[in-house]
Amino acid sequence: MPTPKKGARLGGSPAHQRLILANLATDLFRYGRITTTESKARTLRPHAEKLITKAKKAHLGENPLAQRREVLKTIRDKGVVHVLFTEIAPTFAERPGGYTRITKLGPRKGDNAPMAVIEIVTEEYVAKAVTTPAATKADEKPAAAEETPAEESTEETTDEAAAEETPAEESTEAAADESTDEKTEGDKA
Amino acid sequence: MAVPKRKMSRSNTRHRRSAWKAIAPSLVTCVNPACGAQHLPHRACGNCGQYGAKSSRRQVL
């Protein structure tokens, strides 16, 4: 007897679920960050990470053509597959899994569905045992600043400056820094 | 077809409806010093779109 899969079925039928996950994975690799419901994000995560693992294996020279064909079974857009294999996979060469990150948002207006952002991790991988929290922060922030759009990058750098100050100074100077940030945010919105 | 045998009294109706209560969610203050808005815990701030502790917060929206 076939065992039902773990967790909820998205969309109603197995075919619909396959299509939903394929489309979500395609958009995740195309845009790097997508907003969806929390349950879809949670179901997408292992699905997308397995695709990244295939791309990573191909990057490391393990039967690249077969890996690409396997991924093309799910992602039907060749352009996105190309981006996955040539741009996304090399950035994960060092990282042992955990290629995506889910951040919960509030409930959606309309149906109160819990929403989440699922994104591809862009920070450089730093092994946990050897680094202190301060070092990790210093490594991560510039990487994030490089890959976010121009408006956000200015914000990230000022955030970093604020974070490195001592707590006593932070309350006054960071507030001054952040107030300028808010203006940029306001312009954006 | 099944139908109610008795009229539902106002008392019973109001007693039942008095149990429909909204609970205020517990909120936390956004750690972004420029924002300071109230948002749900373990969720990104809806005002500034940042998430995370003071040392490692990041823009998610």
Side-chain angles (χ1 to χ4, degrees):
Chain A
M1 198 180 111
T3 318
K5 68 171 220 47
K6 198 175 163 189
R9 168 84 70 201
L10 305 176
S13 68
H16 195 178
Q17 166 146 353
R18 269 200 302 278
L19 281 168
I20 286 175
L21 288 175
N23 292 337
L24 284 172
T26 308
D27 280 349
L28 177 63
F29 298 138
R30 183 177 288 151
Y31 299 111
R33 155 184 307 193
I34 54 173
T35 306
T36 179
T37 61
E38 198 186 318
S39 55
K40 274 181 190 156
R42 295 229 175 273
T43 319
L44 172 64
R45 185 174 199 179
H47 188 81
E49 296 204 353
K50 275 165 196 159
L51 295 176
I52 294 175
T53 305
K54 287 198 179 85
K56 210 174 113 176
K57 277 183 183 168
H59 176 67
L60 299 172
E62 202 177 305
N63 214 347
L65 189 56
Q67 304 285 5
R68 190 175 284 249
R69 283 173 180 158
E70 281 296 312
V71 171
L72 273 166
K73 279 158 79 174
T74 303
I75 300 175
R76 301 176 302 281
D77 189 327
K78 277 186 185 168
V80 172
V81 172
H82 180 75
V83 168
L84 173 64
F85 275 68
T86 57
E87 290 171 30
I88 297 172
T91 63
F92 291 138
E94 302 294 311
R95 191 176 284 274
Y99 311 121
T100 57
R101 176 194 292 140
I102 294 173
T103 310
K104 287 187 267 191
L105 308 176
R108 171 163 66 190
K109 258 188 194 150
D111 64 354
N112 210 28
M115 299 298 282
V117 167
I118 180 164
E119 57 189 324
I120 293 171
V121 175
T122 49
E123 284 86 6
E124 211 161 296
Y125 172 66
V126 186
K128 260 197 186 132
V130 288
T131 54
T132 59
T136 322
K137 183 178 68 187
D139 287 350
E140 278 179 3
K141 285 283 182 171
E146 280 164 17
E147 281 158 56
T148 46
E151 284 171 329
E152 281 184 21
S153 67
T154 56
E155 187 173 45
E156 292 273 352
T157 48
T158 48
D159 278 358
E160 185 193 6
E164 280 165 8
E165 287 158 10
T166 56
E169 289 172 346
E170 196 172 20
S171 58
T172 55
E173 290 187 28
D177 286 349
E178 296 283 348
S179 62
T180 56
D181 291 348
E182 185 127 273
K183 280 172 200 161
T184 59
E185 274 174 37
D187 296 342
K188 196 168 62 181
Chain B
M1 198 177 78
V3 290
K5 188 170 187 178
R6 295 239 177 265
K7 175 179 176 168
M8 181 82 154
S9 70
R10 254 180 290 185
S11 162
N12 269 345
T13 303
R14 288 169 182 174
H15 189 249
R16 171 169 43 84
R17 286 185 187 161
S18 74
W20 302 349
K21 285 177 184 134
I23 301 160
S26 54
L27 298 174
V28 293
T29 308
C30 181
V31 293
N32 181 356
C35 174
Q38 298 286 306
H39 64 93
L40 290 169
H42 302 113
R43 304 286 188 283
C45 174
N47 191 25
C48 63
Q50 291 191 355
Y51 178 83
K54 221 169 230 176
S55 56
S56 65
R57 70 196 151 85
R58 57 176 195 273
Q59 198 75 26
V60 292
L61 286 176

